[in-house]
Amino acid sequence: MSLAVIADREVHVDEEGFLTEYDEWSEELAQTLATNIGVELTDPHWKAIRFLREDFKMQGETPTLRRVTTIGQIPTKDLFQLFPKKPAKKMAYIAGLPKPAGCV
Amino acid sequence: MTTTMVAPIPVFEEESTGRKLAIICSKGSLDMAYPGLVLANAALGEGIETHLFFTFWGFDMINKETMGHLKFTPVGNPATHMPQMLMGLPGMTAFATHMMKKQMEGIDVPDVPEFLEMISDSGGHLWACRMSADMMHLEESDLYERVEGIISAGDFIELSEGAQTIFI
């Protein structure tokens, strides 16, 4: 974990660039993170990102795709459209959370 | 003096490596259905093109009649860590199946039909084996609707060209 600058703000990130401090994230920061990986945030993206933030706060871990679908009520198909190829990791990155650890 | 660096950006989409995965599911017991499903789901989550080919007893995973009722039998299965002579007693398979389903549910793993739906929603491809269909007298209408087709072994070899293949 090291200190780094994203959008003129100092934040803690891991070696891949994922934020490591829950409270250092903000919605403005998310915009920059999304742009970094080529995602343009629209309302459905925000719904997913906000669910990740809320769920992490309650569960203490990043939700898996299945959880975003079953609990967050966002269909799997939509997630693959919103965050192509690697939805779980992309969502976690934009939401300033660690990569999900669960297998399913 | 500050030593702060510019944050690295994770590489999510490297130059397409063309990585592809083909999983052959040949078993129809509950415990042997899951490994293929879990791997397929994980591969899809990594953006890898994934094909599942159901053959022989694996057909039970996509047969509408059986897909929701796969069993876990403890007979001859050392993983139960129980005396084998007890495992063949009446009711043991039902009991073991019930226990396994409960454990899966406990860790929020979906049952087989829901798992297949999730895989298909994630862009995974489901294929049925022609010989098994003929042998069991089954047609496409007997199979889970997300199965894209009944194909021959040769077709599968063709579509899995360049794929890493896993046989379960």
Side-chain angles (χ1 to χ4, degrees):
Chain A
M1 187 175 83
S2 47
L3 204 56
V5 175
I6 302 175
D8 298 328
R9 284 188 45 194
E10 281 201 340
V11 290
H12 291 84
V13 297
D14 67 12
E15 63 280 3
E16 282 184 90
F18 286 70
L19 263 68
T20 55
E21 298 296 319
Y22 184 89
D23 294 322
E24 288 179 354
W25 181 89
S26 68
E27 298 208 347
E28 299 79 67
L29 200 64
Q31 294 282 6
T32 305
L33 295 172
T35 307
N36 282 350
I37 57 167
V39 173
E40 198 185 320
L41 294 175
T42 61
D43 286 348
H45 291 93
W46 278 114
K47 186 182 171 200
I49 299 299
R50 291 193 181 112
F51 171 75
L52 255 76
R53 295 286 302 174
E54 280 304 303
D55 198 62
F56 184 93
K57 199 157 78 182
M58 290 188 298
Q59 304 291 324
E61 58 181 27
T62 308
T64 60
L65 271 194
R66 170 165 158 77
R67 199 172 157 83
V68 181
T69 297
T70 54
I71 311 291
Q73 300 282 310
I74 307 171
T76 306
K77 269 187 188 167
D78 296 1
L79 293 174
F80 273 87
Q81 265 161 17
L82 296 167
F83 307 93
K85 300 266 185 194
K86 301 188 183 184
K89 287 183 180 169
K90 286 184 176 177
M91 286 191 293
Y93 174 69
I94 298 171
L97 302 173
K99 286 183 273 191
C103 278
V104 178
Chain B
M1 199 181 105
T2 172
T3 54
T4 317
M5 57 167 187
V6 173
I9 296 171
V11 183
F12 289 120
E13 280 169 80
E14 298 150 46
E15 284 303 297
S16 173
T17 54
R19 192 171 169 196
K20 198 167 153 184
L21 192 66
I23 303 174
I24 301 171
C25 299
S26 72
K27 301 283 202 298
S29 57
L30 187 59
D31 50 326
M32 291 306 283
Y34 275 112
L37 298 175
V38 172
L39 287 175
N41 186 57
L44 290 162
E46 287 300 307
I48 296 169
E49 179 183 333
T50 304
H51 298 265
L52 288 128
F53 183 65
F54 299 90
T55 184
F56 277 82
W57 316 131
F59 245 61
D60 279 357
M61 295 170 68
I62 50 165
N63 181 342
K64 281 181 194 160
E65 295 266 304
T66 53
M67 62 191 295
H69 314 284
L70 301 187
K71 304 269 189 292
F72 168 52
T73 176
V75 175
N77 190 336
T80 57
H81 303 292
M82 300 275 277
Q84 276 302 305
M85 59 182 295
L86 299 178
M87 295 300 113
L89 291 175
M92 281 310 282
T93 292
F95 173 72
T97 301
H98 174 75
M99 288 304 288
M100 185 172 172
K101 283 189 169 175
K102 228 170 79 178
Q103 284 172 335
M104 286 301 188
E105 217 180 284
I107 54 170
D108 199 30
V109 172
D111 62 15
V112 172
E114 196 189 331
F115 218 140
L116 286 171
E117 187 187 343
M118 188 164 85
I119 286 170
S120 162
D121 281 347
S122 306
H125 303 280
L126 311 178
W127 305 100
C129 157
R130 162 59 54 203
M131 197 177 96
S132 310
D134 291 347
M135 192 175 89
M136 300 175 196
H137 305 291
L138 295 169
E139 296 172 12
E140 261 182 52
S141 58
D142 299 309
L143 304 177
Y144 178 51
E145 63 272 14
R146 302 286 184 99
V147 172
E148 290 174 46
I150 301 180
I151 61 173
S152 69
D155 293 336
F156 175 75
I157 295 297
E158 230 170 70
L159 77 82
S160 63
E161 185 180 346
Q164 292 168 310
T165 304
I166 300 174
F167 182 87
I168 296 171

